[in-house]
Amino acid sequence: MATVNIPRLDLNDYVKGDTGQRKRFSDEIGKAFNETGFVTITNHGLDKALIDKLYADVKALFALPDAVKSKYEIPDLAGQRGYTGKGKETAKGFTAPDLKEFWQIGQTVTDDEEQRKAYPDNLEITEVPTFNATTIEVYKKLEWAGIHLLRAISVYLGLPENYFDDNVHNGNSILRTLHYFPITNPDALPDDAVRAGAHEDINLITLLIGASADGLELLTREDEWFPVTAFGEDLVVNVGDMLQRLTNNKLKSTTHRVVNPPRELMKNSRYSVPFFLHPKSGMDLSCLPSCIDAAHPKHYDDITAGEYLDERLREIGLKK
């Protein structure tokens, strides 16, 4: 088994620490993102009571009849708001869709009328009335944590600390509540049908609030699958493809998946809540000049965040 560097870091060391603590945090997250693309984070601003409330609301949402949930599925939104039903998203390179359903919450803009017009409204589910307020609170707290993580990454890259701030403020970030539904007839599944096929995330960074069961694995440089677990209420944070593009592969968007459980546990649901931190659509993802040299020639064509998102949503089947 490969040795995998997934350090457990305290966000307070960066937000409230002295100069030495802040530098160590920046160096450690940069090193891990360079080597494996994953860290776990404690003291991120979400307490246990809020996380427990979130998962109670998520379970109540997905326990609703399919006929009720389908009222909130709007095809023109490409899964970016509201409900997306079973069999709708397929990992790039796979033929069988993932064994999941999900609900997505997007940005709520209150200080920029033009930017507000760029996003569709969030859908409010009346059958679980606390779900809307809970998820918006979680969204804002994860956005706050994500901004500070990006500041630490900026320092590691030798950029101004606030390099990402303007682009992620009112950015196109998504909170996804996920239900990997029970597998009641495993013998009928296609050979490549899994809860989440091997993939890389689209965005800058992803912040994952635990999960109700094991199953998350990352692919090491030695092409071995390694289970990723978090301690207690820690966040699992990983690099997305946008940040990998921007840094010309200096920071790694690591392939990961959610595997099916052992046969005796397939009848159980699995829930998880990732926050995909996106910038505004106009952000330039051209490779940073500081990440290009003779040993590391420019690897990607110039593209904006919005153009790249559109391309990837088509690849995974959420957009026509």
Side-chain angles (χ1 to χ4, degrees), residues 21-311:
Q21 288 173 308
R22 287 166 60 83
K23 184 178 188 308
R24 279 193 298 275
F25 184 96
S26 180
D27 288 346
E28 287 177 354
I29 195 172
K31 183 174 187 291
F33 280 177
N34 179 272
E35 293 178 356
T36 61
F38 275 78
V39 298
T40 64
I41 298 291
T42 187
N43 286 324
H44 41 68
L46 283 78
D47 60 28
K48 186 177 186 301
L50 179 57
I51 294 173
D52 289 346
K53 182 69 175 76
L54 171 68
Y55 272 99
D57 285 348
V58 168
K59 290 175 183 179
L61 167 69
F62 289 115
L64 294 171
D66 286 350
V68 173
K69 290 179 289 191
S70 65
K71 294 189 306 181
Y72 299 96
E73 187 162 16
I74 314 298
D76 289 346
L77 296 181
Q80 297 305 287
R81 299 291 186 275
Y83 179 68
T84 297
K86 304 175 180 75
K88 298 294 176 66
E89 182 173 276
T90 303
K92 183 179 178 180
F94 284 71
T95 56
D98 290 345
L99 305 175
K100 67 189 182 191
E101 57 182 337
F102 56 90
W103 181 288
Q104 298 207 146
I105 300 97
Q107 184 66 258
T108 302
V109 179
T110 60
D111 59 356
D112 185 333
E113 182 62 22
E114 286 305 307
Q115 190 63 27
R116 187 191 68 77
K117 294 175 183 176
Y119 302 130
D121 292 334
N122 283 311
L123 303 185
E124 295 200 359
I125 184 158
T126 57
E127 290 83 358
V128 188
T130 56
F131 178 88
N132 307 297
T134 301
T135 51
I136 290 298
E137 182 180 359
V138 169
Y139 184 109
K140 290 302 181 185
K141 287 182 178 294
L142 290 175
E143 187 174 47
W144 175 90
I147 287 170
H148 284 86
L149 292 170
L150 286 175
R151 288 175 181 172
I153 292 165
S154 297
V155 173
Y156 171 76
L157 293 171
L159 301 168
E161 184 186 33
N162 62 353
Y163 178 85
F164 291 97
D165 284 18
D166 287 345
N167 277 302
V168 297
H169 175 66
N170 289 334
N172 194 20
S173 297
I174 292 289
L175 182 72
R176 173 182 282 193
T177 65
L178 268 164
H179 177 217
Y180 300 100
F181 47 81
I183 302 170
T184 55
N185 187 6
D187 292 330
L189 291 178
D191 290 341
D192 65 345
V194 293
R195 286 184 155 174
H199 66 284
E200 300 80 40
D201 292 342
I202 299 170
N203 41 288
L204 290 169
I205 56 173
T206 300
L207 295 80
L208 174 68
I209 309 173
S212 64
D214 294 335
L216 177 64
E217 297 181 344
L218 68 81
L219 187 64
T220 70
R221 290 186 180 183
E222 294 77 22
D223 285 330
E224 297 176 350
W225 288 104
F226 184 89
V228 180
T229 56
F231 177 84
E233 287 74 50
D234 289 3
L235 300 178
V236 176
V237 181
N238 64 275
V239 176
D241 282 354
M242 289 185 182
L243 188 56
Q244 177 173 265
R245 288 184 74 104
L246 185 71
T247 62
N248 198 37
N249 294 336
K250 181 178 178 66
L251 304 184
K252 302 293 188 293
S253 179
T254 301
T255 302
H256 53 286
R257 65 184 184 182
V258 178
V259 296
N260 296 338
R263 195 177 183 93
E264 64 272 15
L265 298 177
M266 285 186 175
K267 64 183 182 298
N268 298 331
S269 288
R270 181 184 189 270
Y271 302 90
S272 70
V273 183
F275 178 73
F276 302 114
L277 197 155
H278 283 262
K280 297 186 183 84
S281 62
M283 182 178 180
D284 184 4
L285 296 181
S286 301
C287 299
L288 294 165
S290 59
C291 294
I292 301 170
D293 56 31
H296 305 91
K298 185 178 178 182
H299 193 72
Y300 300 103
D301 294 334
D302 297 346
I303 198 169
T304 66
E307 291 167 342
Y308 185 63
L309 175 61
D310 187 71
E311 175 184 302

